[in-house]
């Protein structure tokens, strides 16, 4: 038998390496797959969260073909969009806002035939998925979904509000037609009660349970009559387009507003609020989408999470007008709007 | 008994060297202490003034910033919180005040605020200048002007005053630390000098001296080859060989009964240094362990937090006592060196484990290992000293053991407090593991010449195995049982509960620093180390053992009641009186045993009776911290300490009655 020389070994090794490289290249070519298909369900048109999500996936090099549908805050329209999504069989559904998510996946224990159960869902901008009955608890309860909570927890919001105003009495206006509002108000009342803060609560829904813009001013007047130190507006999509008139009316009635929605301070005349950047919320949702599509992690195995950072926004124009200023210690970390 | 001239000369040499070495060290130490003190007094105020100015400037900037974003001065909120935070982070600040441009006080925070007139009269420190200090209300104060914007109109002034009491306390603390280190260094230096003297001079000379005595007695044989003075040994060997009758050789070696290369004095020195190092390392964590445990404690098995905090001490003592249960069989099987080194290994692993512990169960396991190490090392050292010391000098041997143990306890506790302050709890635990490992290396290197095995075999053969019901008879001995139950157990339980649990946590709750806690707790060790040998000698000479155990317990108990009268000094009194009282009672307990249990000793042998007493005393000690935790949780620290004191006092009274009755029985002619 011919002995196995060193030269033979090198030749075989070189040939093997080249073969492996070719096979790997062929594998890559063979693995090239069509872009992932993501069905986007919006609740009130394009938002910073949607843009943040798309930007993240683009930066991460994930090729995605988006199909976007806007429910325009209309539940009937939402049902048709969900039906379309079920028929389109995308790789993943992205949904923005609590009502859109509930329309897609239904409440816990809902009719599996009516809602999406076999396509992973990633949500952004849901205030309280447990109180909204999207999941039984933050560890999902086995549902095929995950997402990002865009609001600071209610106790954290209360703490910020309390540090700012040190109130004895508070007003609270909310949209009882939205599931987040109901849970948030209940939690807020509990905490305020323990801190011996009296709360004047009003809602703006009619007898049919629908929120009505024209019901807002009288509700604010009823609250103002109780002479609260500040007005808290829990997050609701219904209030966002009305940021200017609601906050202006509240100010006219002598009630500085505290809100977890950025628009209220930037576009409206809310005095302060603890807010999350919607762009960051979208980016975080994009990361979760990448985990599911690229890394193959099941949606139910990805935690539903809060953002780890929030910003305290203070509108100094409003502060000067109502002569209510943040404590000196808050100035160290607050972001001041209209400071000059 | 008159001493040979050589021994007296050696003793003189030892004293001279010791005095010269320690004297030099103390002079240098005292000199450095004075220098440090002077430097502290000179430099500390300068450093603090710079810090004061920096704080005042920063607080001023916060106001400037608020005004710059449009907040009117009269609408500024949260200044109180801001100042409170500054004082919390800088405890040397006595007060902070802010006055507006018109001289009105806007906000203040502090212990006591100087009158506004005094504040306004102070000279201001302009921006960028060195601090200009002035006195306001007894506070050394810096006043800094606050302007609307850079170069803008003045808004007001910030005043920051330093609390003179805090400064005094700071300097006193540092001086205490320096003095503590000085004392501990002196003690360690004494041990080291004595070790070197005994190893390099006294030991070899003693060997030569005993050879000389043999020569004088007519046994002309070469001296044993030992250590030190090698040339002299070689010369003497050569001379002896030349002078010896043909054929005698070195065979005379075997005729020396129990003859070893290392004289017993040197062997006892080795054991003493080993014990010192071990206890030094072991006790370094005593003062801060409950506080460290508190950081790690998380509730489990539904146990209360107070109970959890007592567990590290409980586990440590319980396992150290259990380890001693196995003392006699282990001693018969393994050498002192092997057992001591095993103890060192367990102890070092325990210290390192505690340093790395990320959760409470790991800490408990680590303390268990350290307890096992202590149990092994403790009984081995005691047995080794008694093995090597000649029978007629056993009292001296026990005094050596007790003295060394408490001297090292003092040093370890005091150093541990300072180490925890400087390195943190985990750093101090690593340091204690390192000290214990050094002890291990020393023991491996020095205890090899131990001659305990042949001696033990002789002792074991002579004693024989005790009969099965001997232990029962010992337990039925009322005097022995009373000494154990009404003196040894309450004193030991109180000792463990108080020094390792109640005192550290109580002092911590009063705001004492770790170093301060270490200093207070270490008082016990120093009282024991100084007083125990001296009192034991007096008690032995006057045969006052019975009175000593009772009076010692009562002193200890009465001191404990002091915490009810004075929060600040009560704990100091309680620690000191525990040291004084137990210095009286603990050695006397040991001396009383032969007198109270003569028949059982005749039957079982003194070592086994002593072992039963030791284990019986230590085993229940683990309950001390558990009882202390429950009492402290229900009634507070002061009442828990007082309750222990009352128990010790009541036990002492019962013991007094029992001992009186037993003496009357002994003296009765009918008996």
């Amino acid at each position: 038998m011919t002995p196995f020389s060193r030269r033979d070994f090198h030749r075989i090794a070189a040939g093997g390496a080249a073969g492996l490289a070719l096979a790997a290249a062929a594998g890559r070519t063979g693995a090239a797959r069509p872009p992932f298909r993501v069905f986007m369900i919006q609740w009130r048109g394009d938002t910073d969260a949607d843009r943040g999500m798309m930007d993240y996936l683009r930066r991460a090099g994930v090729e995605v073909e988006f199909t976007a549908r806007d429910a325009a805050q209309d539940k009937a329209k939402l049902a048709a969009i969900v039906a379309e999504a079920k028929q389109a069989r995308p790789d993943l559904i992205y949904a923005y806002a609590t009502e859109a998510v509930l329309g897609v996946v239904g409440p816990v224990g809902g009719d599996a035939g009516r809602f999406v159960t076999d396509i992973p869902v990633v949500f952004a901008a849901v205030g309280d998925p447990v109180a909204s009955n999207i999941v039984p608890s933050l560890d999902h309860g086995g549902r095929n979904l995950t997402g990002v909570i865009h609001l600071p927890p209610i106790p954290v919001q209360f703490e910020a509000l309390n540090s700012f105003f040190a109130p004895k009495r508070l007003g609270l206006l909310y949209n009882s037609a939205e599931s987040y509002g109901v849970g948030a108000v209940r939690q807020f009342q509990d905490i305020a009660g323990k801190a011996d803060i009296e709360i004047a609560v009003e809602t703006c829904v009619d007898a049919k349970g629908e929120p009505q813009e024209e019901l807002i001013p009288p509700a604010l007047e009823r609250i103002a009559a109780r002479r609260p130190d500040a007005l808290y507006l829990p997050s609701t999509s219904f209030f966002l387009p009305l940021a200017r008139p609601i906050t202006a009316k509240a100010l006219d009635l002598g009630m500085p507003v505290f809100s977890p929605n950025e628009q209220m301070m930037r576009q409206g005349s809310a005095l302060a609020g603890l807010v999350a950047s919607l762009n960051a919320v979208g980016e975080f949702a994009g990361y979760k989408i990448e985990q599911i599509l690229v890394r193959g992690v099941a949606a139910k195995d990805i935690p539903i999470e809060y953002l780890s950072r929030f910003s305290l926004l203070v509108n100094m124009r409003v502060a000067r007008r109502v002569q209510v200023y943040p404590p000196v210690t808050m100035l160290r970390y607050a972001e001041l709007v209209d400071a000059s | 008994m008159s001493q040979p001239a050589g021994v007296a000369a050696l003793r003189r040499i030892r004293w001279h060297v010791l005095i010269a070495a320690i004297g030099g060290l103390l002079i240098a130490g005292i000199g450095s202490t004075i220098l440090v003190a002077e430097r502290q007094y000179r430099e500390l105020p300068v450093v603090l003034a710079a810090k004061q100015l920096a704080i005042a400037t920063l607080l001023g900037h916060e106001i400037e910033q608020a005004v710059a974003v449009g907040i009117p001065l009269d609408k500024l909120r949260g200044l109180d919180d801001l100042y409170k935070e500054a004082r919390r982070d800088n405890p040397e600040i006595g007060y902070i005040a802010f006055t507006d441009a018109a001289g009105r006080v806007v906000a203040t925070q502090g212990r006591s605020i100087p009158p506004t007139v005094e504040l306004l009269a102070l000279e201001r420190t302009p921006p960028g200048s060195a601090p200009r200090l002035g006195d306001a209300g007894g506070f050394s104060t810096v006043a800094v002007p606050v302007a609307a914007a850079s170069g803008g109109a003045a808004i007001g002034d910030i005043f920051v005053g330093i609390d003179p009491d805090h400064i005094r306390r700071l300097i006193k603390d540092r001086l205490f630390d320096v003095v503590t280190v000085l004392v501990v260094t002196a003690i360690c230096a004494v041990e080291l000098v004595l070790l070197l003297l005994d190893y390099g001079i006294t030991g070899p000379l003693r060997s030569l001296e005993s050879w000389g005595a043999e020569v004088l007695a007519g046994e002309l044989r070469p001296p044993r080859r030992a250590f030190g003075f090698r040339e002299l040994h070689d010369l003497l060997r050569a001379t002896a060989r030349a002078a010896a009758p043909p054929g005698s050789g070195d065979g005379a070696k075997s005729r020396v009964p129990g003859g070893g290369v290392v004289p017993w004095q040197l062997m006892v020195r080795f054991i003493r240094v080993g014990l010192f190092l071990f206890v030094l390392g072991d006790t370094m964590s005593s003062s801060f362990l409950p506080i460290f445990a508190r950081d790690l404690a998380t509730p489990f098995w539904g146990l209360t937090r107070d109970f959890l905090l007592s567990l590290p001490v409980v586990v440590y003592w319980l396992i150290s006592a259990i380890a001693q249960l196995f003392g006699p069989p282990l001693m018969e099987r393994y050498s002192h060196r092997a057992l001591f080194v095993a103890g060192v290994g367990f102890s070092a692993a325990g210290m390192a484990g505690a340093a790395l512990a990320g959760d409470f169960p790991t800490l408990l396991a680590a303390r268990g290992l350290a307890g096992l190490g202590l149990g092994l090392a403790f009984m081995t050292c005691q047995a080794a000293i008694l093995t090597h010391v000649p029978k007629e000098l056993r009292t001296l041997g026990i005094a050596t053991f007790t003295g060394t143990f408490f001297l090292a306890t003092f040093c370890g506790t005091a150093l541990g407090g300072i180490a925890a302050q400087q390195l943190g709890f985990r750093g101090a635990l690593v340091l204690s593991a390192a000290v214990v490992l050094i002890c291990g290396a020393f023991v491996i290197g020095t205890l090899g010449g131990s001659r305990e095995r042949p001696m033990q075999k002789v002792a074991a053969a002579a004693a024989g195995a005790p009969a099965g019901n001997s232990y029962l008879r010992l337990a039925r001995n009322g005097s022995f049982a009373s000494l154990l139950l009404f003196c040894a157990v309450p004193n030991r339980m109180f000792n463990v509960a108080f020094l390792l649990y109640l005192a550290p946590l109580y002092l911590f709750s009063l705001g004492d620093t770790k170093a301060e806690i270490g200093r207070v707790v270490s008082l016990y060790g120093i009282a024991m180390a100084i007083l125990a040998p001296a009192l034991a000698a007096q008690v032995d000479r006057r045969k006052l053992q019975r009175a000593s155990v009772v009076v010692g317990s009562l002193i200890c108990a009465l001191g404990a009641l002091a915490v009810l009268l004075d929060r600040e000094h009560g704990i100091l009194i309680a620690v000191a009186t525990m040291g004084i009282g137990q210095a009286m009672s603990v050695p006397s307990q040991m001396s009383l045993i032969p007198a109270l249990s003569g028949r059982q000793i005749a039957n079982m042998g003194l070592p086994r009776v002593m072992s039963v007493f030791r284990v019986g005393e230590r085993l229940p000690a683990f309950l001390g911290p558990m009882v202390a935790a429950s009492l402290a949780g229900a009634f507070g620290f002061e009442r828990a300490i007082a309750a222990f004191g009352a128990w010790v006092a009541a036990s002492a009274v019962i013991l007094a009655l029992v001992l009186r009755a037993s003496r009357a029985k002994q003296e009765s002619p009918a008996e």
Side-chain angles (χ1 to χ4, degrees):
Chain A
M1 198 174 121
T2 315
F4 192 73
S5 71
R6 197 174 59 170
R7 183 172 291 176
D8 291 335
F9 174 77
H10 285 164
R11 204 172 288 150
I12 292 166
L20 278 173
L22 280 172
R28 271 205 302 274
T29 314
R33 49 153 299 151
F36 293 106
R37 292 186 306 123
V38 171
F39 200 95
M40 284 174 66
I41 302 179
Q42 300 166 319
W43 182 241
R44 53 178 177 87
D46 279 350
T47 63
D48 280 349
D50 306 338
R51 284 185 281 275
M53 180 269 292
M54 293 162 91
D55 283 349
Y56 176 86
L57 290 172
R58 193 173 51 249
R59 281 201 310 273
V62 184
E63 283 189 49
V64 180
E65 188 182 286
F66 291 101
T67 305
R69 295 288 183 269
D70 180 13
Q73 299 192 45
D74 183 344
K75 286 184 182 173
K77 204 169 174 184
L78 179 66
I81 293 171
V82 172
E84 183 191 345
K86 285 176 85 168
Q87 204 170 5
R89 306 290 311 156
D91 296 309
L92 184 140
I93 295 173
Y94 161 86
Y96 177 91
T98 305
E99 298 311 312
V101 179
L102 273 173
V104 176
V105 298
V108 172
D111 179 5
R114 274 184 59 200
F115 301 106
V116 175
T117 55
D118 55 350
I119 301 169
V121 175
V122 172
F123 63 75
V126 167
D128 187 343
V130 177
S132 311
N133 211 17
I134 292 171
V135 282
S137 67
L138 285 187
D139 56 9
H140 306 193
R143 302 204 81 184
N144 190 15
L145 62 91
T146 184
V148 183
I149 301 169
H150 74 300
L151 297 175
I154 293 291
V156 178
Q157 289 188 53
F158 177 81
E159 191 55 46
L161 184 154
N162 200 24
S163 303
F164 196 110
F165 294 100
K168 291 198 166 28
R169 195 175 301 127
L170 277 176
L172 196 158
L173 178 69
Y174 77 113
N175 173 10
S176 58
E178 274 190 14
S179 42
Y180 169 74
V182 178
V185 168
R186 199 179 303 130
Q187 212 181 337
F188 198 89
Q189 279 177 309
D190 277 355
I191 301 169
K194 283 176 193 155
D196 279 335
I197 296 173
E198 194 186 315
I199 301 205
V201 181
E202 292 288 341
T203 183
C204 54
V205 295
D206 60 16
K208 293 177 194 162
E210 292 295 324
Q212 299 299 337
E213 188 180 340
E214 62 272 20
L215 293 179
I216 292 174
L220 288 175
E221 281 160 13
R222 285 195 298 278
I223 293 172
R226 308 263 303 268
R227 303 179 65 81
D229 298 305
L231 175 72
Y232 173 61
L233 295 179
S235 177
T236 164
S237 296
F238 179 68
F239 286 164
L240 293 181
L242 307 171
R244 277 175 202 271
I246 296 178
T247 51
K249 176 72 180 172
L251 267 193
D252 288 345
L253 292 166
M255 295 184 292
V257 175
F258 190 89
S259 161
N261 293 117
E262 198 170 349
Q263 293 97 315
M264 292 286 178
M265 276 71 71
R266 295 212 186 269
Q267 287 148 28
S269 302
L271 173 55
L274 195 64
V275 303
S277 148
L278 274 183
N279 195 276
V281 169
E283 289 192 338
F284 200 9
Y287 168 74
K288 289 178 189 292
I289 291 173
E290 184 196 11
Q291 296 280 300
I292 296 167
L293 296 182
V294 180
R295 305 194 193 284
V297 183
K300 67 181 172 58
D301 294 333
I302 300 174
I304 295 171
E305 291 171 277
Y306 287 96
L307 281 187
S308 56
R309 284 187 179 189
F310 300 99
S311 305
L312 181 83
L313 287 192
V314 180
N315 188 326
M316 288 304 289
R317 175 179 49 83
V318 179
R320 284 190 289 272
R321 183 175 155 191
V322 295
Q323 293 284 293
V324 175
Y325 297 96
V328 178
T329 43
M330 235 177 217
L331 293 175
R332 290 177 186 165
Y333 50 85
E335 187 183 332
L336 304 180
V337 179
D338 283 339
S340 53
Chain B
M1 193 174 78
S2 68
Q3 291 171 339
V7 172
L10 281 178
R11 191 157 286 178
R12 267 201 310 279
I13 292 171
R14 270 166 53 118
W15 273 112
H16 291 163
V17 173
L18 204 58
I19 289 166
I22 304 307
L25 185 76
L26 280 177
I27 289 167
I30 290 166
S32 350
T33 309
I34 292 168
L35 282 176
V36 168
E38 197 197 27
R39 201 169 157 177
Q40 290 281 323
Y41 276 109
R42 206 159 15 92
E43 290 187 359
L44 196 63
V46 179
V47 173
L48 284 175
K51 191 176 169 192
Q52 237 175 310
L53 179 61
I55 291 166
T57 308
L58 280 173
L59 294 175
H61 278 319
E62 303 253 12
I63 296 172
E64 285 169 21
Q65 202 182 8
V67 172
V69 297
I71 303 178
L73 207 55
D74 60 337
K75 294 283 180 187
L76 268 185
R77 290 196 297 129
L79 284 178
D80 287 354
D81 289 338
L82 186 70
Y83 297 163
K84 212 180 276 178
E85 189 184 293
R87 286 193 68 224
R88 191 192 57 218
D89 296 342
N90 305 280
E92 70 277 8
I93 296 178
Y95 80 94
I96 300 170
F98 174 57
T99 56
D100 65 13
R104 284 183 299 261
V105 175
V106 177
T108 58
Q109 174 56 231
R111 210 159 53 88
S112 65
I113 311 298
T116 313
V117 186
E118 286 189 33
L119 290 178
L120 297 176
L122 288 169
E123 186 187 0
R124 309 301 190 256
T125 302
S129 309
R132 293 178 188 174
L133 295 171
D135 182 83
F139 295 92
S140 170
T141 300
V142 70
V144 174
V146 182
S150 32
I155 299 172
D157 299 287
I158 285 267
F159 302 88
V160 175
I162 292 288
D163 182 355
D165 288 347
H166 186 88
I167 301 303
R168 274 193 285 277
R169 197 176 163 192
L170 206 66
I171 292 175
K172 191 182 81 184
D173 273 3
R174 292 185 184 179
L175 279 179
F176 260 124
D177 284 353
V178 173
V179 171
T180 306
V181 171
L182 182 65
V183 171
V184 172
T185 310
I187 292 170
C188 293
V190 169
E191 293 295 327
L192 187 65
V193 168
L194 286 175
L195 173 70
L196 293 175
L197 275 174
D198 283 352
Y199 183 76
I201 301 171
T202 321
L205 287 180
R206 278 188 194 279
S207 292
L208 285 176
E209 193 174 43
S210 60
W211 175 79
E214 286 168 9
V215 170
L216 285 176
E219 297 221 12
L220 186 59
R221 58 185 176 79
R224 304 283 302 275
R225 185 183 290 279
F227 47 87
F229 301 120
R230 181 169 289 175
E231 295 79 6
L232 182 58
H233 267 279
D234 290 346
L235 183 64
L236 291 173
R237 277 173 80 86
T239 312
R241 275 206 187 103
S248 59
D250 281 3
K253 191 165 56 178
S254 59
R255 296 209 304 268
V256 183
V261 175
V262 182
W264 70 265
Q265 294 94 337
L266 183 57
M267 189 51 83
V268 169
R269 174 67 55 204
F270 288 158
I271 298 164
R272 185 187 156 105
V273 172
L275 175 68
F276 183 86
L277 283 173
F278 183 88
V279 179
L280 183 77
D282 183 71
T283 50
M284 278 178 76
S285 58
S286 301
S287 63
F288 64 80
L289 198 78
I291 305 159
F292 178 58
R294 206 170 59 166
D295 295 346
L296 284 180
T298 44
F300 64 94
W301 297 342
L303 299 173
T304 65
R305 191 171 166 76
D306 286 332
F307 186 81
L308 275 182
L309 292 185
S310 71
L311 281 182
V313 181
V314 168
V315 168
Y316 173 75
W317 276 96
L318 183 63
I319 293 185
S320 89
I322 290 171
Q324 291 180 54
L325 274 177
F326 302 98
L330 284 173
M331 293 285 182
E332 281 159 21
R333 204 160 164 195
Y334 300 104
S335 69
H336 290 153
R337 182 166 70 167
L339 285 176
F340 201 154
V341 170
V344 162
F346 286 125
S347 184
M351 303 294 177
L356 298 172
D359 53 36
F360 199 66
T362 312
L363 177 68
L364 287 186
R367 290 310 292 162
L369 278 177
L372 181 59
L374 174 75
L376 286 174
F378 188 85
M379 70 180 183
T380 308
C381 282
Q382 209 170 30
I385 284 181
L386 289 176
T387 303
H388 290 283
V389 170
K391 219 171 195 174
E392 65 276 13
L393 294 173
R394 274 191 172 166
T395 316
L396 174 71
I398 290 175
T400 300
F401 178 81
T402 314
T404 307
F405 185 87
F406 287 107
L407 209 55
T409 301
F410 161 73
C411 295
T413 315
L415 279 186
I418 296 170
Q421 193 87 2
Q422 301 298 323
L423 309 172
F425 295 141
R426 292 180 191 276
L429 282 163
V430 170
L431 186 65
S432 62
V435 172
V436 171
L437 284 176
I438 291 170
C439 163
F442 178 80
V443 167
I444 290 172
T446 55
L447 254 63
S450 174
R451 54 177 177 157
E452 81 275 10
R453 300 210 58 163
M455 290 185 74
Q456 268 181 353
K457 279 176 189 163
V458 170
N469 59 358
S470 301
Y471 290 101
L472 199 61
R473 276 204 288 274
L474 183 63
R476 281 188 190 148
N477 177 341
S479 304
F480 177 86
S482 299
L483 183 66
L484 185 62
L485 293 179
F486 299 119
C487 184
V489 169
N491 270 289
R492 175 63 66 182
M493 268 177 77
F494 182 30
N495 178 296
V496 173
F498 182 57
L499 295 179
L500 301 185
Y501 183 81
L502 289 169
L505 284 181
Y506 181 56
L507 289 169
F508 190 69
S509 75
L510 293 180
D512 281 22
T513 62
K514 292 155 205 154
E516 281 172 332
I517 295 171
R519 272 201 299 273
V520 173
V521 174
S522 64
L523 258 184
Y524 173 80
I526 199 87
M528 281 296 276
I530 293 169
L531 297 177
L535 288 174
Q538 292 299 317
V539 167
D540 276 348
R541 191 176 303 157
R542 294 166 205 270
K543 299 195 188 310
L544 290 171
Q545 284 89 349
R546 287 166 202 260
S548 178
V549 289
V550 173
V551 174
S553 291
L554 286 174
I555 290 174
C556 176
L558 290 176
L561 301 177
V563 290
L564 291 178
L565 305 174
D566 187 338
R567 276 168 69 92
E568 288 293 318
H569 302 102
I571 203 89
L572 199 70
I573 295 168
V575 173
T577 50
M578 177 177 271
I580 297 165
Q582 296 196 346
M584 281 179 84
S585 69
V586 172
S588 298
Q589 290 166 25
M590 293 292 175
S591 313
L592 259 185
I593 292 172
L596 297 181
S597 42
R599 278 187 206 159
Q600 287 78 28
I601 288 171
N603 186 25
M604 301 166 67
L606 181 62
R608 283 188 192 272
V609 173
M610 294 287 254
S611 168
V612 169
F613 188 82
R614 205 170 51 220
V615 174
E617 173 202 13
R618 285 173 173 265
L619 204 54
F622 81 93
L623 289 170
M626 292 166 79
V627 176
S630 310
L631 288 174
F635 307 111
F637 286 113
E638 295 97 334
R639 288 181 183 178
I641 295 166
F644 269 103
W647 177 43
V648 173
S651 301
V653 172
I654 296 171
L655 180 70
L657 296 174
V658 172
L659 290 178
R660 199 172 166 189
S662 89
R663 172 168 275 181
K665 207 171 164 186
Q666 278 175 0
E667 288 168 357
S668 159
E671 291 291 316

